[in-house]
Amino acid sequence: MTGRDAARVPFGAHSVPYAPGTLRPSGDQAAADRQVLEHYWRWKASFLRSGDEVGGRGRCAVFTPDAAHPFVAEAQGYGLVITALMAGADPDAHALFDGILRHVLAHPSANHPDLHAAQQDAGGRDVGGRNSATDGDLDIAYGLLLADRQWGGGHGDYKALALRRIDAVMEREVHPGTRLTKLGDWSSGRFDEVSRTSDWMPDHFRAFRAATGDPRWDEVLDAHLALAGALRTRHAPATGLLPDFVVDTTSGEPRPAPGKVLESPHDGDYHWNACRVPWRLGADAVTSGDARTWAAARGLSRWARTATGGDPGAIRSGYRLDGTAYGEAGSPAFFAPFAVAAMTEGETGDEGGEGEGEAAQGWLDALWARMCGSPPDPARAYAAGVQLQSMLVVSQNYWVP
């Protein structure tokens, strides 16, 4: 695969400024870019599959050895976002993006043709019901908007494909009453009252509003940020942590899952889904400057900094909402997102004040050093994808279309 045309927002250009007050790692920007690029090459070599491995010439897909199946929607969404952001550094980025997109389009959900069947086996066959996962579709639509900004036109017109998918997400994966994201296009019955906090992607909702002009996306944004604030106040006032899953979103006061709802007994804890929240909230904060996401991300960063004594190596892979740790230490899926949140500990002029100066900068620098010293594990696609995208944000190579 070879590059075909120039990127309009090339990696390393830093042409889209972040919000005033955003912290950045100490040191040389070019060196930070090189660290991200090194991690990208390793991610690409470890997890991108092409050709006959994924159904034929011209196709690519992100391989997930640590998931229930080799190819899952979440990973394809990550792949589209990453390759669009790496344009200008990787001459194959455009072709890789189109290859992943071909895989996605070849596997529509059985419930809606413009959503993605969430799982494929090693033979490229849809498995697990051929239905969708909301987080995958959100990132796929967002990736298409990035591609439209980067390259325009292309495979089936990126903008048209994005608009169709965004509309399908609104139709099938957003609750019409609460405006909260559902688990997928299959959610009904008791699952109609469940939302997964890692699907709460404020910058995506803003991009969808801008692309479509649909004011319902303003309602989606406001509903998620209001609920995030209420959950922190009622259930995690000392930490700001959110649970993996929220229940009773339509029938009463939304609350953390009381136990296993979908995946594990830790569905109500800060576990392997919610670990992405500091990244998602922080990315919106530094790109939009919204006081709501800024305050939420800053609160998470300050709690983590205090709880660990400023040592990223002490971040554990699982917490109760009161901050009690139960997981092992060391996964990038947990420590990398806190680096994004740490960017909000700079001066903003809001009620947070000037932060804590040297301690905040030292915390961000320590997290950055931890990420740079943690190469992607070829057996851990999930953590590698979360880490690389967190590094893209922290190095100021992220932007909202």
Side-chain angles (χ1 to χ4, degrees):
M1 294 182 177
T2 58
R4 290 169 290 161
D5 41 28
R8 298 187 182 116
V9 189
F11 173 86
H14 309 287
S15 57
V16 181
Y18 281 15
T22 300
L23 285 181
R24 49 165 290 174
S26 301
D28 179 57
Q29 179 64 63
D33 291 347
R34 288 194 295 272
Q35 289 283 357
V36 178
L37 191 55
E38 175 63 24
H39 276 68
Y40 168 72
W41 296 129
R42 294 190 182 196
W43 173 86
K44 177 181 174 181
S46 296
F47 304 114
L48 282 188
R49 300 290 185 268
S50 61
D52 291 341
E53 292 181 272
V54 289
R57 185 176 179 180
R59 288 194 199 176
C60 294
V62 180
F63 174 58
T64 51
D66 49 337
H69 297 283
F71 305 101
V72 298
E74 169 189 276
Q76 310 321 313
Y78 287 1
L80 292 173
V81 171
I82 289 168
T83 52
L85 293 175
M86 295 307 301
D90 182 357
D92 291 340
H94 195 173
L96 291 169
F97 182 96
D98 280 354
I100 298 170
L101 180 58
R102 290 187 187 99
H103 170 83
V104 168
L105 296 178
H107 296 281
S109 168
N111 297 319
H112 197 293
D114 292 320
L115 299 175
H116 180 46
Q119 301 174 111
Q120 287 78 47
D121 65 16
R125 296 175 291 267
D126 293 327
V127 290
R130 291 189 60 212
N131 47 37
S132 75
T134 299
D135 57 348
D137 285 313
L138 291 171
D139 273 331
I140 290 166
Y142 191 77
L144 284 163
L145 292 178
L146 291 171
D148 180 64
R149 174 77 180 276
Q150 282 287 36
W151 304 298
H155 186 88
D157 187 345
Y158 300 128
K159 184 67 174 289
L161 288 171
L163 294 178
R164 285 165 48 189
R165 195 163 297 264
I166 293 167
D167 288 344
V169 169
M170 178 63 77
E171 177 185 342
R172 296 301 301 261
E173 297 176 336
V174 172
H175 193 282
T178 65
R179 293 291 188 234
L180 298 174
T181 51
K182 302 199 294 183
L183 302 176
D185 62 7
W186 53 271
S187 299
S188 62
R190 68 186 181 93
F191 290 112
D192 206 40
E193 297 190 320
V194 181
S195 188
R196 179 173 38 223
T197 60
S198 55
D199 299 353
W200 300 1
M201 306 178 192
D203 56 354
H204 290 37
F205 304 151
R206 294 182 201 277
F208 297 168
R209 172 65 166 93
T212 64
D214 186 344
R216 290 178 295 176
W217 287 108
D218 291 330
E219 298 172 5
V220 171
L221 175 67
D222 291 343
H224 287 89
L225 296 187
L227 180 52
L231 289 166
R232 294 195 309 273
T233 298
R234 296 168 187 161
H235 300 282
T239 66
L241 295 171
L242 295 180
D244 272 15
F245 295 94
V246 179
V247 300
D248 296 341
T249 59
T250 63
S251 62
E253 182 179 291
R255 60 193 176 100
K260 181 176 181 179
V261 171
L262 184 68
E263 294 185 358
S264 83
H266 290 292
D267 282 354
D269 297 327
Y270 182 82
H271 201 56
W272 285 89
N273 287 295
C275 64
R276 293 171 280 186
V277 167
W279 155 39
R280 295 300 193 183
L281 292 179
D284 181 74
V286 300
T287 53
S288 75
D290 191 310
R292 295 170 294 178
T293 49
W294 196 284
R298 170 178 279 188
L300 286 165
S301 179
R302 287 181 170 172
W303 166 77
R305 175 159 58 88
T306 301
T308 63
D311 176 11
I315 294 173
R316 305 282 286 278
S317 300
Y319 291 90
R320 307 292 183 190
L321 298 189
D322 65 2
T324 302
Y326 58 80
E328 300 294 327
S331 175
F334 281 80
F335 67 72
F338 278 116
V340 181
M343 301 175 77
T344 63
E345 290 206 59
E347 299 179 12
T348 62
D350 66 9
E351 63 181 23
E354 295 186 358
E356 296 181 49
E358 292 182 5
Q361 184 67 58
W363 173 235
L364 176 57
D365 289 345
L367 285 160
W368 177 250
R370 177 82 174 180
M371 288 195 290
C372 292
S374 302
D377 181 344
R380 299 285 183 266
Y382 174 68
V386 171
Q387 177 177 342
L388 178 54
Q389 289 176 93
S390 295
M391 293 181 77
L392 282 161
V393 181
V394 176
S395 65
Q396 301 201 16
N397 281 294
Y398 181 73
W399 44 275
V400 178

